[in-house]
Amino acid sequence: MVEQVRKLLDKKLKNVQELEKLRKTILDNRDTSRITVSVCGGTGCRASGAEAVVEAFAEEIEKRELQVKIDFKETGCHGFCERGPVVVIGPKKIFYQHVQPEDVQEIINETVLQGKAVKRLLYVDPATGEEITYESDVPFYNKQTRLILGANGEIDPTDIEQYIAAGGYSALSKALFQLNPDKIVNEITSAGLRGRGGGGFPTGRKWQSCRTSRSDVKYVLCNADEGDPGAYQDRSILEGNPHSVIEGMIIGAYAIGASQGFVYVRNEYPLAVEHARIALEQAMDYGFLGENILDSGFSFKITINKGGGAFVCGESSALIASLEGKIGEPKSKYTHMSEKGLWEKPSLLNNVKTWANVPLIINKGADWYSKIGTAGSKGTMIFSLVGKINNSGLVEVPMGITLREMIYDIGGGILGGKKFKAVQTGGPSGGCIPEQFLDTHVDFDELPKLGSMMGSGGMIVMDEDTCMVDVARYFINFLKGESCGKCVPCREGLAKMSDILDRITHGEGKPEDLDTMMDLAEILNAGALCALGRTAANPVISTLKYFKDEYMAHINEKKCPAGVCRELIQYSIDPEKCTGCGLCARACSMNAISGEKKEPHVVNQNMCIKCGVCYDSCKFGAVIKQ
Amino acid sequence: MTKYWIDGEKAIDISEADDVNSVSFTIDDKDVVVSGGQSILEAVQRMSGIANIPALCYHPAVRPYGACRLCTVEASEDGGKNFKFVAACLYPVKEGIIVKTSTEKVKKLRKGIIELLLARCPNTRIIQELAAEYGVEKPRFSVGDQDCILCGLCVRACQEIIGKSAISLVNRGIYKEVAAPFYAYELGEGCIGCGDCAFVCPTGAITMGDNGKPVLPRVKIPYAEIGAMTSREKLPASQG
């Protein structure tokens, strides 16, 4: 009896035939007449209340006993985080935005039971004013190529069978039984895949040198220590489709001959850690990890290692130091990791996005993959499009798309109809690209020409109200705090650069400061030990190059043209426009505004703390910010 | 060509010798042959008068660390077409590389690093001497009054030579400092009072106290600047 139960509970797939049989069983048992309801459970939508929506759906479905009719699931991030919580009703994929628990009854009554769309929850195209019913018609989605992120909205990340039903682990069985390690490496090389973590190093070459490295032990590592402000694409993949990363890692391990893998993920990503953990357990249960995977004779295990929250640990040598239990400081890379990496053994480290690309390439072939993208950069890239933009969210586009298409067609233009000023790409060490370069094709080779970089795919859009000196100050300050402090140029140089930028934004800048900063930038670029320090000056160099007039205004005229730097602005009231309503005076927490009723008011400059409440509260535009 | 193995003051002719792990490369327009497996800086220090590379965080008795970056030189692996900046203390000697130890670019970089060090430690003799050598007069930056340059020699000496690991570098960025376990400044039983750390310290930031234990330098950062950093000093007495 016990043996029989154990046999029933044992889900381990012993060979490829069993995998294909399981896949077929899942698909055959699937009732296609059921209506799918997928609620986005990504961190973005959770922040706007998706968990309550999920609960409301579950409750309602149970109350009305609709389980037979509805295939309900909480999925990973759909990407359109601006509009969260997002709910998509299949099979036609009716797209609802900003869904609240109280909308659930209506959605079930109207859409699920009668097939009618709930008009007030539909997305309205701001350009045309039209209501859009289906997800594929939403401009934010229909301009994208969602090869990696697409599955996020389809599958429940905590259920391996949904991944298998969607064709999961077929790349692994192909790699194990139809290809050999050399062929796998060749496939990755000829696909032209480049490292998605920032460096853009050809992945195939990395795999090749790890494969040829001689050692008894080799390691496969996944870098999920994503720390750029505003970037969350690695997080979303690990949360929404962890098996794609795991499958990629197993293929990589088979190709180089490793038997142990590590996922280094930030502890600040609890959902990503949780989903990766569940996925690893399930992959173990189903026999995709462990001893003798699918009867191929190949064994491989993956362990999760949680990072302590240092940005610099995303740097490969610091990541390895941290994995080894040492201080998370980078080391020089004169000896390559493919020779001596983790515990001095050859190690293959790739970013989450790179790993997620692997099953795709193995399944569809290098020829197919290399047709997407530009001459030097193949495939798609996932960007987190954030900042002063209408449609912020995760965007997956083919390499070579222009910045203009990204910002205006997918991003829906600048928030509030304001004017575009700059876009910062590649995380905190990226450069700010001004309007004249908006038609640049985004790839690994074009962005560095403008003094920026691809990085891990951060993209922060700034409008005319952004002060570029303040932006440079913000990023340098971030990097100063995240510098490990090991080498002098980075530790001391960034601190001094931050001092100077602080002074300039406080109106105490001197003309010679700009030369000093350029000198510091050179020291950082040439002298720093790791890539964090070497690229850290990019925000300063690029803003000095494209927005020097703003620096000059701060230094010479003691003015902040964008009206951001508090010390350099002054609020006053235009007596012509002021009606004396007193709204600003009541709003002012410092009682700095005085005046008789129905008479023009005045701001007492000595008491004003420049919080801007008066500016925001005035209905007549009488408060002037200069 | 006659190959010479330079060891200290001696030059041994190895033109006829077999099975010698030797590496020949060019340094400041001089062709040299040295034993493989060492760094440029190690090789240079063993050959008298060939080049003068400054270094503060390097000591032959412990593993190189690459923190001060003063030993940065230019090196080319492709016969002189492309040069890149490398830290001589870590970069291994390789067959056929071309190394330049005092180009204008290198001098400018070192001058910049010394200016930053002088701004951190204006009262330290070894840095004042380097500043005089490289023509740094007054730093253009805000000046501090630290003694420790965080070269990590004390930590490495304690770990690698003494085998005690009684001190470590803690915290990061400008808050980095040398401390005993659990962020203590007073050394406990882990320290045997050998004084190795004080001996190896290039700036004299570590001294030996009356109790026979070293006195560690404090990073003198104004309390307000510490901000959100978790520092032992910041915690209320009951927790700290």
Side-chain angles (χ1 to χ4, degrees):
Chain A
M1 179 68 190
V2 176
E3 271 307 299
Q4 276 171 323
V5 171
R6 190 172 289 155
K7 222 172 191 177
L8 277 173
L9 287 174
D10 187 16
K11 297 174 212 142
K12 191 167 168 160
L13 302 167
K14 286 173 195 72
N15 49 44
V16 186
Q17 288 75 32
E18 283 194 20
L19 167 63
E20 292 313 319
K21 210 174 106 195
L22 172 69
R23 201 192 313 279
K24 195 167 174 294
T25 320
I26 302 168
L27 289 173
D28 285 349
N29 290 346
R30 195 172 263 186
D31 183 355
T32 44
S33 68
R34 281 168 92 198
I35 290 161
T36 55
V37 173
S38 28
V39 181
C40 173
T43 301
C45 282
R46 282 191 177 204
S48 36
E51 276 165 302
V53 177
V54 170
E55 234 165 75
F57 264 112
E59 229 169 74
E60 199 63 27
I61 290 169
E62 201 183 279
K63 207 165 76 189
R64 301 212 212 163
E65 292 174 357
L66 288 167
Q67 291 94 331
V68 196
K69 271 196 112 145
I70 299 178
D71 178 15
F72 172 67
K73 57 190 160 196
E74 184 182 355
T75 66
C77 178
H78 289 231
F80 205 175
C81 311
E82 177 86 35
R83 302 288 165 159
V86 167
V87 176
V88 178
I89 315 286
K92 282 181 170 171
K93 295 201 174 174
I94 297 172
F95 178 82
Y96 290 140
Q97 54 166 359
H98 295 314
V99 178
Q100 295 305 316
E102 48 273 24
D103 303 325
V104 168
Q105 281 218 358
E106 198 176 345
I107 293 177
I108 290 183
N109 286 340
E110 298 284 317
T111 316
V112 176
L113 299 178
Q114 297 177 49
K116 286 189 288 189
V118 181
K119 282 208 178 308
R120 64 186 174 83
L121 294 171
L122 292 176
Y123 174 75
V124 180
D125 187 355
T128 57
E130 246 177 85
E131 281 167 352
I132 297 172
T133 314
Y134 304 110
E135 187 184 67
S136 54
D137 296 334
V138 176
F140 176 79
Y141 288 113
N142 69 15
K143 299 261 168 38
Q144 297 188 42
T145 311
R146 296 167 72 82
L147 301 178
I148 308 288
L149 282 180
N152 259 22
E154 311 279 328
I155 55 175
D156 178 345
T158 57
D159 182 2
I160 190 173
E161 294 203 352
Q162 295 200 14
Y163 181 71
I164 294 173
Y169 290 106
S170 56
L172 175 66
S173 66
K174 186 178 173 186
L176 290 177
F177 300 103
Q178 291 168 38
L179 304 173
N180 58 33
D182 278 325
K183 277 191 185 150
I184 297 171
V185 175
N186 277 345
E187 201 74 352
I188 300 294
T189 310
S190 46
L193 179 64
R194 290 172 72 171
R196 296 290 194 261
F201 190 82
T203 309
R205 220 194 294 166
K206 205 186 234 180
W207 285 35
Q208 181 62 41
S209 55
C210 269
R211 166 151 180 69
T212 47
S213 235
R214 281 197 188 179
S215 174
D216 50 343
V217 181
K218 293 181 186 178
Y219 296 107
V220 164
L221 315 171
C222 171
N223 186 346
D225 191 63
E226 177 185 51
D228 300 5
Y232 56 108
Q233 49 277 71
D234 294 352
R235 167 187 217 159
S236 293
I237 294 173
L238 219 48
E239 281 175 5
N241 195 359
H243 286 288
S244 64
V245 180
I246 294 170
E247 191 179 356
M249 286 178 75
I250 306 170
I251 296 170
Y254 177 63
I256 69 157
S259 55
Q260 173 69 51
F262 291 94
V263 178
Y264 188 91
V265 55
R266 300 183 71 186
N267 197 30
E268 293 93 326
Y269 282 181
L271 194 63
V273 174
E274 179 69 6
H275 285 183
R277 189 186 58 74
I278 295 171
L280 284 178
E281 275 173 16
Q282 291 182 346
M284 202 79 184
D285 288 346
Y286 280 76
F288 298 117
L289 286 171
E291 300 295 320
N292 193 14
I293 296 167
L294 300 176
D295 198 27
S296 63
F298 168 67
S299 307
F300 181 59
K301 274 180 192 160
I302 299 178
T303 311
I304 296 178
N305 199 299
K306 289 185 275 184
F311 176 70
V312 74
C313 286
E315 201 275 345
S316 58
S317 58
L319 186 148
I320 284 189
S322 177
L323 264 178
E324 288 173 350
K326 296 179 186 152
I327 300 175
E329 281 177 353
K331 282 180 279 196
S332 72
K333 289 196 225 159
Y334 302 139
T335 314
H336 206 268
M337 261 174 67
S338 54
E339 289 167 41
K340 278 184 182 178
L342 185 63
W343 291 300
E344 305 273 292
K345 300 289 180 189
S347 306
L348 177 60
L349 172 69
N350 281 129
N351 174 267
V352 170
K353 296 185 282 293
T354 318
W355 285 124
N357 268 295
V358 171
L360 202 67
I361 294 171
I362 297 297
N363 260 337
K364 300 209 175 182
D367 286 343
W368 171 84
Y369 191 84
S370 62
K371 284 195 183 84
I372 311 163
T374 60
S377 310
K378 302 295 182 193
T380 58
M381 180 70 186
I382 304 169
F383 289 97
S384 53
L385 192 59
V386 295
K388 302 283 183 66
I389 192 153
N390 277 316
N391 304 336
S392 51
L394 285 190
V395 173
E396 185 178 350
V397 287
M399 296 277 186
I401 193 173
T402 64
L403 285 167
R404 193 182 298 279
E405 285 172 272
M406 293 267 296
I407 294 164
Y408 287 95
D409 297 346
I410 296 171
I414 308 303
L415 216 55
K418 297 246 165 127
K419 212 168 148 291
F420 170 86
K421 189 172 204 173
V423 56
Q424 207 249 11
T425 68
S429 314
C432 298
I433 300 170
E435 194 170 9
Q436 67 255 40
F437 298 115
L438 271 184
D439 292 311
T440 304
H441 295 274
V442 178
D443 71 10
F444 285 111
D445 308 308
E446 290 300 317
L447 290 178
K449 289 181 191 161
L450 300 174
S452 187
M453 57 185 194
M454 188 77 122
S456 177
M459 198 166 266
I460 302 173
V461 180
M462 300 163 198
D463 68 359
E464 55 188 326
D465 291 339
T466 315
C467 168
M468 298 315 287
V469 185
D470 185 58
V471 166
R473 186 195 61 82
Y474 170 80
F475 285 117
I476 295 299
N477 204 36
F478 173 84
L479 291 165
K480 175 183 105 177
E482 293 298 338
S483 160
C484 78
K486 178 174 178 176
C487 75
V488 177
C490 184
R491 182 186 67 230
E492 305 293 329
L494 283 175
K496 299 305 175 201
M497 209 173 225
S498 159
D499 277 356
I500 294 174
L501 286 164
D502 272 348
R503 271 200 288 110
I504 295 177
T505 52
H506 292 160
E508 294 152 18
K510 291 172 277 187
E512 61 266 28
D513 283 343
L514 302 186
D515 286 338
T516 312
M517 281 207 293
M518 282 314 282
D519 284 351
L520 282 172
E522 255 178 63
I523 297 169
L524 275 162
N525 187 282
L529 189 148
C530 78
L532 188 152
R534 279 201 296 272
T535 56
N538 279 345
V540 168
I541 300 173
S542 63
T543 50
L544 265 175
K545 189 167 163 194
Y546 302 124
F547 301 96
K548 195 165 186 179
D549 49 330
E550 281 192 42
Y551 281 90
M552 297 320 284
H554 281 75
I555 294 170
N556 295 337
E557 296 151 40
K558 310 287 174 213
K559 283 238 152 68
C560 175
V564 172
C565 302
R566 270 193 191 188
E567 273 81 355
L568 304 181
I569 52 173
Q570 207 174 56
Y571 289 95
S572 57
I573 293 168
D574 183 353
E576 301 278 298
K577 284 187 182 164
C578 180
T579 61
C581 69
L583 209 59
C584 56
R586 281 196 297 278
C588 180
S589 59
M590 301 306 291
N591 293 324
I593 298 176
S594 54
E596 293 296 316
K597 228 175 200 173
K598 296 198 175 157
E599 293 290 321
H601 284 42
V602 269
V603 180
N604 182 344
Q605 297 300 340
N606 295 334
M607 287 158 80
C608 177
I609 55 161
K610 296 165 188 174
C611 66
V613 163
C614 52
Y615 182 81
D616 295 334
S617 69
C618 183
K619 292 192 172 115
F620 307 98
V623 179
I624 309 161
K625 180 163 81 169
Q626 294 183 307
Chain B
M1 189 184 106
T2 329
K3 275 188 173 179
Y4 284 106
W5 181 299
I6 304 172
D7 191 5
E9 303 277 312
K10 282 184 288 179
I12 306 155
D13 185 353
I14 54 157
S15 321
E16 306 290 315
D18 297 330
D19 285 340
V20 176
N21 174 20
S22 71
V23 173
S24 43
F25 68 103
T26 313
I27 183 161
D28 290 344
D29 299 327
K30 286 171 257 197
D31 293 327
V32 294
V33 183
V34 298
S35 54
Q38 56 180 339
S39 68
I40 296 176
L41 187 63
E42 280 173 296
V44 163
Q45 293 205 342
R46 285 176 183 153
M47 296 182 280
S48 56
I50 201 137
N52 177 24
I53 303 177
L56 286 174
C57 71
Y58 174 80
H59 194 285
V62 291
R63 263 185 236 157
Y65 186 56
C68 77
R69 314 308 284 176
L70 276 176
C71 68
T72 303
V73 296
E74 282 191 86
S76 169
E77 288 185 24
D78 53 6
K81 272 181 240 144
N82 296 297
F83 279 89
K84 58 182 181 186
F85 290 106
V86 299
C89 65
L90 289 161
Y91 196 83
V93 291
K94 292 179 192 170
E95 191 65 35
I97 54 166
I98 301 171
V99 180
K100 293 180 189 256
T101 66
S102 59
T103 59
E104 284 311 309
K105 276 197 212 160
V106 166
K107 279 192 217 156
K108 192 180 172 200
L109 175 62
R110 284 192 196 140
K111 192 176 166 183
I113 294 169
I114 293 165
E115 187 182 0
L116 286 169
L117 283 173
L118 189 65
R120 180 186 174 92
C121 312
N123 308 317
T124 305
R125 210 179 70 198
I126 189 165
I127 292 166
Q128 287 167 348
E129 283 169 8
L130 278 167
E133 188 187 334
Y134 279 83
V136 181
E137 280 159 17
K138 197 178 160 288
R140 289 169 287 175
F141 321 114
S142 52
V143 173
D145 61 344
Q146 322 257 352
D147 302 318
C148 173
I149 57 165
L150 299 165
C151 66
L153 272 177
C154 50
V155 175
R156 282 175 284 154
C158 189
Q159 184 185 4
E160 293 173 29
I161 301 172
I162 311 302
K164 278 293 174 193
S165 294
I167 47 174
S168 177
L169 288 164
V170 292
N171 237 331
R172 66 171 182 244
I174 52 169
Y175 308 106
K176 205 180 190 86
E177 56 189 321
V178 179
F182 307 106
Y183 217 151
Y185 291 110
E186 283 77 37
L187 283 152
E189 283 177 18
C191 172
I192 56 167
C194 67
D196 207 22
C197 49
F199 172 77
V200 82
C201 179
T203 61
I206 301 182
T207 50
M208 290 306 281
D210 294 336
N211 61 352
K213 302 253 162 122
V215 181
L216 299 179
R218 295 280 184 105
V219 171
K220 300 159 200 161
I221 288 168
Y223 178 76
E225 247 190 65
I226 291 179
M229 295 296 293
T230 348
S231 161
R232 200 178 124 84
E233 282 183 314
K234 230 195 121 202
L235 298 171
S238 59
Q239 293 172 34

